[in-house]
Amino acid sequence: MLKRAARGHEKDGIEKTVLGSCAVECPACPHPDKNMPDGWRDAPKNKNDALDPDHGNGYAYFVSEKPYKEYLEKYKDEMEPDRMFKLDHNFLIYNGRTDGEAPEQGWAEINPLASSTKEMGPGSQRDALDSHFADYNWRKIIGLDE
């Protein structure tokens, strides 16, 4: 490793090699004073839709954010257990019964994405999840004949 990092012939000896100095820096990783803009420390830390909008607002697996939030605000007082019971798909007329587990099975495959998406802003997160949901559904559909 020292030879590869051109430290094999250090005049002060390899003991003077600074820890971490043999690492090859990733050019895509953020390095202050190298590839990050001035003032990056002062950038807003809040993640919100204005700073990070998604590219498919409502076109795929997530509903449009603004109408959804407006709906929740409008009906927030009506979301009581009695109303929730009336909307339960197991009690709707002409609706088949289900154990409720089948819709949850897809999450087992999506859950590992949490470590990748937790640092993203809301728009990037929705875009990444939309892409993975689409891939999951595509693999499910092409495997129907098996």
Side-chain angles (χ1 to χ4, degrees):
M1 178 178 300
L2 293 169
K3 181 178 176 183
R4 203 172 342 141
R7 300 280 194 256
H9 299 289
E10 277 292 316
K11 70 176 188 172
D12 295 330
I14 59 174
E15 294 82 22
K16 298 291 182 179
T17 300
V18 178
L19 295 177
S21 64
C22 295
V24 176
E25 289 185 350
C26 171
C29 294
H31 299 285
D33 301 323
K34 286 186 181 179
N35 62 354
M36 294 178 67
D38 294 335
W40 68 271
R41 291 184 196 271
D42 301 322
K45 295 189 180 15
N46 294 337
K47 298 176 187 176
N48 62 45
D49 288 315
L51 296 173
D52 183 30
D54 56 352
H55 296 111
N57 192 3
Y59 293 134
Y61 302 97
F62 287 94
V63 297
S64 294
E65 196 73 14
K66 187 178 178 195
Y68 175 66
K69 287 180 178 177
E70 289 170 355
Y71 175 85
L72 290 178
E73 186 63 31
K74 183 177 177 181
Y75 293 104
K76 68 181 178 185
D77 296 330
E78 294 181 34
M79 295 298 172
E80 297 173 5
D82 290 342
R83 180 166 172 75
M84 301 306 272
F85 177 77
K86 290 177 189 171
L87 296 176
D88 187 328
H89 64 274
N90 280 317
F91 299 103
L92 293 176
I93 191 166
Y94 306 119
N95 198 27
R97 288 208 165 285
T98 178
D99 63 2
E101 293 299 317
E104 298 291 330
Q105 291 174 357
W107 287 109
E109 187 162 330
I110 297 300
N111 281 340
L113 293 174
S115 60
S116 299
T117 61
K118 68 182 176 186
E119 295 296 324
M120 294 179 179
S124 297
Q125 189 177 56
R126 286 190 297 267
D127 289 341
L129 290 173
D130 264 346
S131 178
H132 284 279
F133 292 152
D135 175 66
Y136 176 79
N137 285 346
W138 174 251
R139 286 184 286 120
K140 222 166 63 173
I141 289 169
I142 63 171
L144 285 176
D145 66 340
E146 295 175 0

